[in-house]
């Protein structure tokens, strides 16, 4: 058990649619769309004809997260999904804060030039303290990745049939997989809405969202709840420039993967489990300024396994 952390000091460290000009579009469709998109997502536009613009530079600009501040939860494992997402956000230009329940988060932070925080995200007071600490250290969060909740070898999932599942077991799975996403989202979403820009990406799972397996009812219910939270929150802030989406990874090879899980990945359509980096690519896609017209969606990342009966 770690010591209580209930304050910042306890930590270790409307858009308006662009005008549409039909004649201008007919004369230069690429330039007109480029101009309009730049106005909608608040990016400078080069204007002019297609020949005078650098397509590569424009794409980099649309996908750049330079100047944005991101928070990734559950990023303590060096071979986990959270750390892979944090690494990709740094590569996209964002300033990144990462959080986990142990001090190993500082090692991960040093590896990618981020800042690490230790917190129990199932504790309402600690989440409030985290929000204050992050704002004080690097500023207001623009991008939130709710990855906390996945299990580890030292904290495995509760695997019991419903008839044998205690209420405490049920609460454990719901708390770490759904309550954490709710508490952290609530702590940061209002600030995003007030500033008129934000991205929230929740990490769900194929289990509970598109599939189910015996003896994992609590986990499935919690992850299905994550997608419900995603849709509901998306409707609340859609007019405030904030998008809320989810990703649903399937069998991903991480440090906490069991041999049976990896075997299931080998039996999938692609003949292998996925990698954390492949999940990270999907998550960071939702964060890009150019993804501003996507909200309330869940993207399945499972190599096509859920397509099989």
């Amino acid at each position: 058990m770690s010591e209580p952390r209930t304050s910042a000091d306890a930590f270790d460290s409307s858009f308006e649619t662009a005008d549409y000009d039909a004649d201008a579009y007919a004369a230069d469709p690429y330039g007109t769309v480029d101009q309009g998109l730049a106005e909608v997502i608040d990016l400078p536009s080069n204007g002019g004809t297609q020949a005078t613009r650098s397509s590569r530079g424009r794409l980099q600009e649309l996908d750049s997260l330079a100047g944005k501040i991101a928070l990734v939860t559950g990023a303590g494992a060096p071979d986990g999904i959270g750390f892979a997402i944090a690494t990709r956000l740094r590569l996209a230009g964002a300033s990144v804060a990462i959080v986990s329940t142990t001090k190993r988060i500082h090692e991960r932070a040093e590896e990618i030039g981020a800042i690490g925080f230790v917190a129990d995200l199932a504790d309402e007071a600690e989440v409030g303290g985290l929000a204050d600490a992050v704002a004080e250290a690097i500023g207001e969060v623009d991008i939130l990745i709710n990855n906390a909740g996945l299990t580890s070898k030292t904290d495995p999932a509760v695997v019991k049939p419903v008839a044998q599942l205690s209420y405490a077991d049920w609460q454990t799975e719901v708390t770490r997989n759904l309550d954490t996403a709710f508490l952290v989202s609530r702590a940061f979403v209002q600030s995003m809405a007030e500033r008129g820009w934000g991205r929230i990406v929740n990490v769900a799972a194929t289990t509970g969202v598109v599939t189910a397996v015996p003896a994992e009812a609590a986990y499935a219910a919690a992850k299905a709840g994550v997608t419900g939270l995603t849709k509901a929150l998306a409707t609340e802030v859609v007019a405030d420039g904030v998008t809320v989406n989810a990703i649903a990874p399937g069998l991903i090879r991480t440090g906490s993967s069991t041999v049976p899980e990896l075997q299931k990945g080998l039996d999938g359509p692609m003949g292998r489990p996925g990698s954390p980096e492949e999940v990270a690519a999907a998550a960071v896609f939702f964060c890009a300024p150019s993804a501003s017209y996507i909200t309330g969606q869940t993207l399945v990342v499972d190599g096509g396994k859920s397509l099989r009966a």
Side-chain angles (χ1 to χ4, degrees):
M1 296 291 291
S2 58
E3 66 277 13
R5 301 168 295 270
T6 58
S7 69
D9 292 336
F11 289 94
D12 293 314
S13 1
S14 123
F15 72 87
E16 296 180 2
T17 304
D19 293 335
Y20 172 73
D21 187 329
D23 292 336
Y25 176 81
D28 181 15
Y30 295 101
T32 302
V33 171
D34 193 39
Q35 173 72 30
L37 182 59
E39 292 178 8
V40 168
I41 63 177
D42 193 27
L43 287 173
S45 173
N46 294 328
T49 64
Q50 186 179 15
T52 63
R53 294 192 307 275
S54 166
S55 297
R56 179 178 298 177
R58 186 60 185 159
L59 284 173
Q60 290 175 340
E61 183 181 18
L62 291 174
D63 291 334
S64 173
L65 295 176
K68 301 300 183 183
I69 296 173
L71 172 65
V72 183
T73 70
D79 50 6
I81 290 172
F83 186 61
I85 294 174
T87 301
R88 195 173 185 93
L89 286 168
R90 284 291 292 133
L91 291 173
S95 298
V96 176
I98 54 179
V99 58
S100 76
T101 57
T102 66
K103 291 184 178 181
R104 67 176 178 172
I105 196 67
H106 300 303
E107 298 175 16
R108 305 288 84 75
E110 185 176 354
E111 290 169 9
I112 62 172
I115 182 170
F117 297 89
V118 178
D120 177 0
L121 301 182
D123 186 305
E124 185 175 10
E126 290 203 29
V127 173
L130 173 67
D132 293 340
V134 173
E136 181 179 342
I138 58 175
E140 298 290 347
V141 169
D142 303 296
I143 297 167
L144 171 62
I145 310 293
N146 280 313
N147 175 69
L150 298 180
T151 58
S152 66
K153 289 182 177 179
T154 58
D155 188 19
V158 176
V159 181
K160 296 179 182 178
V162 169
Q164 300 173 17
L165 194 65
S166 71
Y167 186 44
D169 290 335
W170 174 271
Q171 288 180 309
T172 294
E173 289 297 311
V174 173
T175 295
R176 70 178 168 191
N177 288 288
L178 180 56
D179 291 359
T180 53
F182 159 70
L183 289 171
V184 180
S185 294
R186 187 183 64 174
F188 291 96
V189 69
Q190 186 61 37
S191 174
M192 293 180 186
E194 290 173 353
R195 288 178 285 116
W197 199 96
R199 299 285 188 269
I200 297 176
V201 180
N202 297 319
V203 179
T206 52
T207 300
V209 177
V210 293
T211 64
V213 294
E216 292 189 14
Y219 178 78
K223 288 303 186 181
V226 168
T227 61
L229 172 65
T230 298
K231 293 177 181 179
L233 183 54
T235 65
E236 294 178 3
V237 294
V238 67
D240 299 315
V242 180
T243 67
V244 187
N245 293 288
I247 54 173
L251 292 165
I252 308 300
R253 182 167 191 156
T254 69
S256 63
S257 298
T258 64
V259 172
E261 287 173 341
L262 294 176
Q263 183 59 51
K264 289 180 181 178
L266 294 175
D267 293 338
M270 289 192 178
R272 64 174 178 84
S275 70
E277 290 73 22
E278 289 170 316
V279 179
V284 177
F285 158 73
F286 281 130
C287 301
S290 56
S292 55
Y293 203 55
I294 306 171
T295 195
Q297 304 304 307
T298 299
L299 177 59
V300 174
V301 187
D302 74 342
K305 187 171 179 60
S306 59
L307 299 176
R308 290 186 172 179

